[in-house]
């Protein structure tokens, strides 16, 4: 049952928790620096909370793509719920002031690509299963 839950709901929920001030106050919580590391080149690598959110979204997107290769009844529900997650991203992006941010937009695009890739990969895998049988 848990295999049908789209993992990209996690960054959606985390972003909304950030809007509520869970990760700190200020005008832009996503610009707050998490850490920085001095590199051997002399440059400084720094990661913001927004960068971390996008990284989490990309890692979960990878897991979603791997999940979409399954051809089970749960995968159909997963695709449907992934579509709902994308629609939630889109509606919030259009209607909520705090969602008009590049981090949220990037997460929304990741959710869109998840929906498109999930359906494409599943259709390809289903076609291969039909040809083999």
């Amino acid at each position: 049952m848990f295999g049908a839950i789209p993992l990209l709901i996690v960054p959606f929920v985390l972003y909304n928790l950030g809007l509520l001030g869970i990760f700190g106050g200020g005008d832009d919580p996503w610009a707050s620096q998490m850490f920085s590391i001095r590199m051997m080149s002399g440059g400084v690598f720094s990661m913001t909370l927004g960068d971390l959110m996008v990284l989490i979204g990309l890692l979960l997107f990878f897991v979603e793509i791997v999940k979409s290769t399954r051809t089970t009844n749960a995968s159909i529900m997963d695709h449907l719920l992934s579509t709902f997650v994308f629609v939630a991203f889109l509606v919030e992006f259009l209607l909520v002031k705090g969602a008009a941010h590049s981090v949220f937009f990037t997460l929304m695009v990741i959710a869109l690509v998840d929906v498109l890739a999930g359906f494409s990969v599943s259709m390809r895998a289903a076609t291969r299963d039909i040809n083999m049988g």
Side-chain angles (χ1 to χ4, degrees):
M1 177 62 187
F2 290 113
I5 297 173
L7 297 176
L8 289 177
I9 194 79
V10 172
F12 181 78
V13 170
L14 288 175
Y15 189 93
N16 284 302
L17 289 174
L19 287 181
L20 293 174
I22 300 295
F23 303 123
D27 291 335
D28 189 6
W30 312 113
S32 61
Q33 185 174 336
M34 301 295 295
F35 63 88
S36 64
I37 301 172
R38 179 163 293 289
M39 307 302 286
M40 291 174 55
S41 65
V44 177
F45 170 77
S46 61
M47 180 168 282
T48 65
L49 185 57
D51 296 334
L52 183 62
M53 287 292 295
V54 171
L55 184 62
I56 290 169
L58 287 172
L59 291 173
L60 293 175
F61 172 62
F62 172 75
V63 175
E64 283 292 316
I65 293 298
V66 171
K67 280 176 36 180
S68 70
T69 60
R70 298 175 299 156
T71 53
T72 63
N73 290 337
S75 65
I76 295 169
M77 182 60 76
D78 183 41
H79 295 316
L80 181 66
L81 292 175
S82 291
T83 303
F84 288 147
V85 169
F86 167 68
V87 169
F89 267 109
L90 182 62
V91 168
E92 185 167 340
F93 180 69
L94 295 173
L95 300 178
V96 177
K97 184 178 179 181
H101 195 281
S102 61
V103 171
F104 192 82
F105 180 79
T106 304
L107 293 172
M108 182 182 70
V109 170
I110 291 170
L112 172 63
V113 174
D114 174 43
V115 170
L116 297 175
F119 280 116
S120 299
V121 168
S122 291
M123 288 173 49
R124 183 74 173 167
T127 305
R128 186 180 55 230
D129 288 346
I130 290 171
N131 290 335
M132 297 294 261

